[in-house]
Amino acid sequence: MGKGTDKLYITHSEWASEDAYSASAGSGLSKSNASTAPFKRLPFNFCAISLQPFNHPVCSPDGTIFDITNILPWLKKHGTNPVTGATLRSTDLIKLTFAKNEDGEMVDPVTFKLFTNNTHIVALKNTTNVFAYDTIERLNIKAKNWRDLVSEEDFSRKDIITLQDPHNVQSRNLSTFKYLQEGTSTLTPEQQRERNDSSRNVNTTALGSGSSLFKPPKKEQIPDINPDALANNRASIAKTISSLTQHKPITPFSTTSNKTPTNPTTTPSQPRALHTTGLAAASLTSTGLTPHTTADLASLSLESYLLVPRRVRTKGYCLLTLHPFSPTSPRLQITLELAPEFAPKACWNFIQLAKKDYYNDVPFHRNIPSFMIQGGDPTGTGKGGASIWNKNFDDELDGPLSMKFDKRGMLAMANKGKNTNGSQFFITYRGTPHLVRKHTVFGQVVEEDSFKALKTLEEVEADEKGRMKKTEVRIKEITVLVDPFEDFLKDKDARERLEREKEEIRKKGGAEDERVTWTGKRVRLDGSLEGRADAGGESVGKYMKMAGEADGKMQGKESVLEEWEGGDEQRVKKKVKGGGSFGNFDNW
């Protein structure tokens, strides 16, 4: 058992030697192999240079997190990574966007699980969003879905940056930070002077009689600084901070508490959906959410509220102006009537693109006589163009216009299949029943001059494929004459304002000409009541009055009868026969 012997025991010298090896070799462990520095781990939400919680987080390409206000002065002075000592420039910094719940705690934006010091945290370099690695692994890597779960931007495996790995605790070990090992100060000159100023660090009120003996050291003579250079320096730092701290908001799901409204920006007039936020059910089944006990209605965006069929029923009008074909040709204008009642998305898309001057100088690339003329593609090839949402939107085929397609001058969306509407549109030269329920009709041509201009367009020569080679027809501009959505919102605001005013008047007791008593009688401006007896109206107790008048008349008749019958003698009262009751008990 001993070294080089057949003894069944270990001597004290063998057990205490530096080269001993066994389960009991702890006391003989060499001092050179022992770790002299204690292990101190930096929390994930702390800046690696100030060792304080960060407010504007950025990270280096290796995943070290800094606060932008602390790392920029360091880089300006040293130009290296304070943790590893490697070269680091301000352009290499990557801003981080953390999702937070209503309590200000950092959470995963998809599962809403709290980030702790034992969570594997990663960030996407191109989108700046921060997730739990568990979420990325299950929903992106294993599912082969290489799109950001919040912004839906594409990313690759190289864009994944590890910010905290619980299996690699040495990555955030303070004892391995280079600037701490070398003792390099991370304070700015102003912070260093403030720290060295004993007059600020000594509580002179607690010195008692010794306060007179305390003399603060003389302030060091600060060399003159060029104000222009200082201003430029501060301006450059502020510019870098502003560019790196412009975080994209992460609002995948509202997790507000009952103390605050569901949407902080919600106004009283903001529309609400017919369904709830779902927070009550979600918080009941998930420990990652704050408990909610009320079923609040979900907020709708203004666009989602307006783009509901049959909500906006007023017509819209646009004026399409064309460039002259030649110096002598007249200016052509076509008035278009839009129907947002049945095709709100198509009308909204057309109006918003027109307001952005999207159709200005865009050609009509296809013209087929006795069929239609098509345009709206800025490339002029018929293969381009995008909607106001930069993606295709669905067809709207339930309106009466889309069901007929039976006359000249119908305005419809061009597409390349089902639900592929973009910016291209066409105007028919005749009824096209074969296009029923295949294209969204959202308007029509109105006015006689517009149909004359449409006839002029139909007469422009084109080849068998509809391409106009000799004469180019271009849209000069599309002017929105009447925006039905704006008119709808103005009317809605006016109605709500009137209702609020009426509610305020009601709370104050009503207007002067609307005050009533508890019986429902209106009070006049002079204070009198409508319906009083002196006013000639009916009053309360009119039947009692009539009964009193009748009694008076009967009493008059009885007195006359008594006089005629000799009514001086008193009438003999009839004895009332007793009933079967006991009466009172006074004689007992």
Side-chain angles (χ1 to χ4, degrees):
M1 188 172 181
K3 288 194 286 185
T5 65
D6 56 353
K7 294 183 297 184
L8 299 180
Y9 59 90
I10 299 177
T11 63
H12 175 74
S13 59
E14 293 174 343
W15 181 77
S17 62
E18 293 184 357
D19 57 346
Y21 58 94
S22 71
S24 58
S27 64
L29 188 63
S30 172
K31 293 183 179 181
S32 60
N33 296 331
S35 177
T36 57
F39 176 79
K40 293 182 180 180
R41 184 179 182 181
L42 181 69
F44 77 95
N45 60 336
F46 275 52
C47 171
I49 190 170
S50 67
L51 306 183
Q52 297 294 325
F54 52 69
N55 294 320
H56 305 290
V58 294
C59 74
S60 59
D62 62 350
T64 306
I65 304 178
F66 305 98
D67 194 302
I68 186 65
T69 57
N70 297 322
I71 189 60
L72 283 182
W74 173 277
L75 295 179
K76 201 167 187 65
K77 182 178 180 181
H78 302 280
T80 59
N81 188 326
V83 175
T84 61
T87 303
L88 182 65
R89 296 173 297 179
S90 60
T91 55
D92 298 332
L93 297 176
I94 304 165
K95 63 181 179 180
L96 301 176
T97 305
F98 283 88
K100 295 183 179 181
N101 59 13
E102 65 276 10
D103 297 328
E105 299 170 323
M106 299 179 188
V107 297
D108 182 275
V110 178
T111 61
F112 301 104
K113 291 184 178 179
L114 290 177
F115 287 158
T116 66
N117 291 328
N118 297 319
T119 306
H120 192 170
I121 305 174
V122 296
L124 300 182
K125 182 178 180 180
N126 58 333
T127 65
T128 74
N129 294 328
V130 180
F131 300 89
Y133 180 74
D134 227 6
T135 303
I136 296 293
E137 183 181 24
R138 285 185 297 162
L139 302 181
N140 290 111
I141 298 176
K142 290 185 177 180
K144 297 182 179 180
N145 174 31
W146 297 100
R147 297 176 69 87
D148 190 300
L149 299 173
V150 174
S151 63
E152 296 187 355
E153 298 180 32
D154 295 334
F155 71 94
S156 62
R157 192 183 290 269
K158 295 180 181 179
D159 295 325
I160 301 177
I161 302 174
T162 300
L163 303 180
Q164 176 180 261
D165 186 359
H167 300 292
N168 183 19
V169 294
Q170 291 297 330
S171 61
R172 302 186 67 81
N173 186 4
L174 289 174
S175 61
T176 61
F177 286 12
K178 186 174 180 61
Y179 77 97
L180 293 178
Q181 292 176 346
E182 297 176 353
T184 307
S185 174
T186 60
L187 300 176
T188 62
E190 294 179 359
Q191 293 173 337
Q192 190 65 42
R193 285 193 296 271
E194 183 178 348
R195 176 171 291 188
N196 295 335
D197 188 358
S198 58
S199 61
R200 296 188 178 185
N201 300 330
V202 177
N203 185 7
T204 56
T205 59
L207 292 178
S209 59
S211 60
S212 59
L213 303 176
F214 175 74
K215 294 181 180 180
K218 296 181 179 181
K219 294 184 178 180
E220 299 179 1
Q221 188 67 23
I222 302 175
D224 294 336
I225 300 176
N226 185 1
D228 296 335
L230 183 60
N232 294 334
N233 186 14
R234 290 178 177 175
S236 62
I237 292 178
K239 184 177 181 181
T240 307
I241 291 176
S242 63
S243 64
L244 288 173
T245 56
Q246 292 177 354
H247 298 291
K248 290 187 264 185
I250 294 184
T251 55
F253 191 71
S254 177
T255 58
T256 53
S257 62
N258 296 334
K259 299 180 181 179
T260 58
T262 304
N263 189 352
T265 61
T266 299
T267 59
S269 61
Q270 183 167 353
R272 296 282 183 172
L274 298 179
H275 56 83
T276 64
T277 58
L279 293 179
S283 61
L284 178 66
T285 57
S286 174
T287 58
L289 296 179
T290 304
H292 288 75
T293 57
T294 58
D296 299 325
L297 292 178
S299 299
L300 283 178
S301 65
L302 194 59
E303 185 176 306
S304 301
Y305 175 74
L306 290 175
L307 302 186
V308 176
R310 295 177 177 82
R311 174 156 288 162
V312 180
R313 297 177 180 270
T314 56
K315 302 290 185 181
Y317 293 91
C318 295
L319 184 63
L320 189 151
T321 305
L322 301 174
H323 282 290
F325 301 157
S326 64
T328 59
S329 62
R331 184 179 64 173
L332 299 179
Q333 290 184 331
I334 301 176
T335 304
L336 303 173
E337 182 186 74
L338 307 182
E341 181 178 358
F342 305 106
K345 292 181 182 178
C347 292
W348 175 274
N349 177 66
F350 188 80
I351 290 174
Q352 298 305 319
L353 290 178
K355 287 183 176 181
K356 289 176 57 179
D357 299 332
Y358 184 85
Y359 292 119
N360 289 7
D361 205 37
V362 172
F364 281 101
H365 59 272
R366 192 180 179 200
N367 185 26
I368 302 176
S370 299
F371 181 32
M372 61 87 196
I373 183 170
Q374 181 177 340
D377 178 13
T379 63
T381 61
K383 299 180 180 180
S387 68
I388 192 65
W389 302 284
N390 291 322
K391 62 180 181 180
N392 296 332
F393 63 93
D394 295 346
D395 296 326
E396 296 167 301
L397 307 175
D398 295 332
L401 296 177
S402 298
M403 296 294 292
K404 292 182 179 180
F405 240 125
D406 59 349
K407 60 182 179 180
R408 180 182 178 89
M410 303 288 283
L411 176 64
M413 295 298 300
N415 59 40
K416 52 188 176 182
K418 185 178 179 181
N419 298 330
T420 57
N421 299 294
S423 65
Q424 295 188 40
F425 61 92
F426 65 91
I427 304 174
T428 60
Y429 290 137
R430 64 177 181 85
T432 53
H434 62 283
L435 298 181
V436 170
R437 296 191 63 82
K438 293 183 180 179
H439 294 268
T440 300
V441 181
F442 63 98
Q444 59 185 345
V445 177
V446 294
E447 297 183 352
E448 185 178 354
D449 293 340
S450 301
F451 281 101
K452 291 180 180 179
L454 194 62
K455 184 177 181 181
T456 304
L457 292 178
E458 188 177 6
E459 294 173 352
V460 176
E461 294 184 5
D463 59 13
E464 55 185 12
K465 293 184 179 181
R467 291 174 295 187
M468 297 171 286
K469 297 182 178 180
K470 296 182 180 180
T471 305
E472 187 178 38
V473 180
R474 285 186 174 271
I475 301 173
K476 183 179 181 180
E477 62 179 352
I478 296 180
T479 306
V480 180
L481 303 178
V482 177
D483 188 344
F485 301 102
E486 286 186 1
D487 294 346
F488 176 82
L489 291 178
K490 289 179 182 178
D491 294 342
K492 180 175 178 291
D493 293 340
R495 290 194 303 269
E496 290 178 350
R497 184 168 58 253
L498 184 60
E499 291 177 0
R500 288 195 297 268
E501 292 175 356
K502 288 183 178 180
E503 182 66 18
E504 291 176 0
I505 293 174
R506 188 191 64 79
K507 290 180 179 178
K508 294 179 181 178
E512 290 294 334
D513 58 344
E514 293 180 349
R515 290 185 299 172
V516 295
T517 64
W518 66 275
T519 59
K521 299 298 180 183
R522 291 185 60 184
V523 181
R524 295 193 182 93
L525 295 178
D526 59 357
S528 61
L529 295 178
E530 288 186 1
R532 288 190 57 177
D534 54 3
E538 297 179 355
S539 60
V540 177
K542 64 178 181 177
Y543 298 108
M544 296 172 62
K545 183 178 178 181
M546 293 170 61
E549 293 175 354
D551 292 342
K553 292 179 180 179
M554 291 299 296
Q555 290 177 3
K557 292 181 180 179
E558 290 178 358
S559 61
V560 173
L561 184 61
E562 288 177 356
E563 292 178 359
W564 182 71
E565 293 180 350
D568 293 336
E569 298 180 2
Q570 294 182 355
R571 292 184 179 181
V572 180
K573 295 183 178 180
K574 296 181 179 180
K575 293 183 180 181
V576 180
K577 295 182 179 180
S581 62
F582 290 100
N584 59 24
F585 300 92
D586 295 340
N587 297 328
W588 282 33

